[in-house]
Amino acid sequence: MKQLLGLIGLLILFGFTGIDNNLTKQERKSAISYFKQTQQDFIKEIKGLSEAQLNWKPADSVWSVANCAEHITISEKNLFDWGMGTLKAPADPSKRKELKHDDEAIKNMISSRTVKVKTREGFYPTGQFGNTAQTLVVFKERRADLIKYMKSTEDDLRNHFAETPVGLIDTYQLLIFLSAHTKRHTLQIAELKAHPDFPKQ
């Protein structure tokens, strides 16, 4: 009887939720699906491109496909680290009333190419991974780590927050932001490939 009461007490303590203490199964599934889809689209967009195609620029001020790929990979770590940094502050559920965007809005706003955004220092491509093939290796490793994290985390992603260019968002949305950012620059790569002067091979 004492063991049964103890078990009931533990269930009450943890809210009957187990690993989904703060995220629903649907939230996890939705995020992971989005992470996988944006990864797939990115890799597909640059698959089979020659060195000439990877490094072509329509102007010196415009990034090449290789530059975009490196920027995506750099951002993968920087944005994830930003998200993990938000968890160091105390959870503050009262801030949820300040949120102005739902998850789908975050996806749409960040991936949209209609508004140009100046890249922050620390996110610029500098050739740090050596070449695009190695860049992709690093990207895949980082994206695999992100997916693994989302599958198993018990962190309170909905009650920690970050101030971003689109306003206050929660940490779960910041990880969605990360994936939408991948889509944004995958679309940029598609724009480069559609340019009339893009190398044929």
Side-chain angles (χ1 to χ4, degrees), residues 42 45-46 65 68-69 72 185-193:
F42 168 44
E45 201 64 59
I46 64 177
V65 172
C68 291
I72 288 171
H185 290 285
T186 298
L187 293 172
Q188 184 177 0
I189 290 170
E191 290 169 10
L192 283 166
K193 291 170 64 178

Side-chain angles (χ1 to χ4, degrees), residues 98-121:
E98 299 177 34
L99 299 180
K100 301 189 185 308
H101 311 295
D102 63 18
D103 301 342
E104 288 303 311
I106 297 296
K107 290 179 184 180
N108 294 333
M109 287 189 295
I110 301 306
S111 63
S112 174
R113 297 279 300 153
T114 57
V115 178
K116 304 303 180 183
V117 179
K118 183 174 176 58
T119 301
R120 295 169 57 185
E121 191 168 345

Side-chain angles (χ1 to χ4, degrees), residues 2-184:
K2 287 183 178 180
Q3 288 180 331
L4 178 59
L5 289 173
L7 177 58
I8 292 171
L10 284 173
L11 288 172
I12 292 171
L13 179 63
F14 290 103
F16 296 90
T17 55
I19 196 169
D20 283 307
N21 187 35
N22 299 293
L23 295 179
T24 66
K25 289 181 180 179
Q26 183 54 41
E27 285 173 327
R28 289 183 192 274
K29 182 179 179 181
S30 177
I32 291 167
S33 176
Y34 192 52
F35 297 161
K36 289 180 177 180
Q37 187 62 55
T38 55
Q39 173 180 350
Q40 178 182 320
D41 292 345
F42 168 44
I43 292 172
K44 182 180 179 181
E45 201 64 59
I46 64 177
K47 184 177 180 180
L49 295 183
S50 67
E51 284 299 310
Q53 291 171 323
L54 289 169
N55 294 295
W56 177 81
K57 297 180 179 183
D60 289 340
S61 60
V62 178
W63 284 354
S64 65
V65 172
N67 291 152
C68 291
E70 185 182 352
H71 173 67
I72 288 171
T73 304
I74 292 169
S75 300
E76 189 81 11
K77 180 180 187 303
N78 289 356
L79 294 175
F80 182 77
D81 287 350
W82 184 9
M84 296 304 96
T86 67
L87 300 176
K88 295 177 181 178
D92 187 358
S94 69
K95 282 190 173 182
R96 294 208 59 76
K97 63 179 180 295
E98 299 177 34
L99 299 180
K100 301 189 185 308
H101 311 295
D102 63 18
D103 301 342
E104 288 303 311
I106 297 296
K107 290 179 184 180
N108 294 333
M109 287 189 295
I110 301 306
S111 63
S112 174
R113 297 279 300 153
T114 57
V115 178
K116 304 303 180 183
V117 179
K118 183 174 176 58
T119 301
R120 295 169 57 185
E121 191 168 345
F123 287 77
Y124 285 99
T126 60
Q128 64 181 273
F129 303 116
N131 57 42
T132 304
Q134 188 56 39
T135 297
L136 276 182
V137 170
V138 176
F139 170 80
K140 289 176 182 177
E141 290 173 349
R142 292 178 175 177
R143 184 53 62 97
D145 286 343
L146 173 63
I147 292 170
K148 182 179 179 180
Y149 171 80
M150 185 56 72
K151 284 180 176 179
S152 62
T153 185
E154 295 183 64
D155 292 335
D156 188 355
L157 302 184
R158 287 300 197 181
N159 290 309
H160 289 84
F161 304 89
E163 284 288 354
T164 73
V166 296
L168 186 74
I169 63 176
D170 65 40
T171 306
Y172 176 87
Q173 291 178 326
L174 184 53
L175 298 181
I176 296 299
F177 181 118
L178 182 163
S179 195
H181 176 270
T182 300
K183 181 176 180 179
R184 177 185 182 87

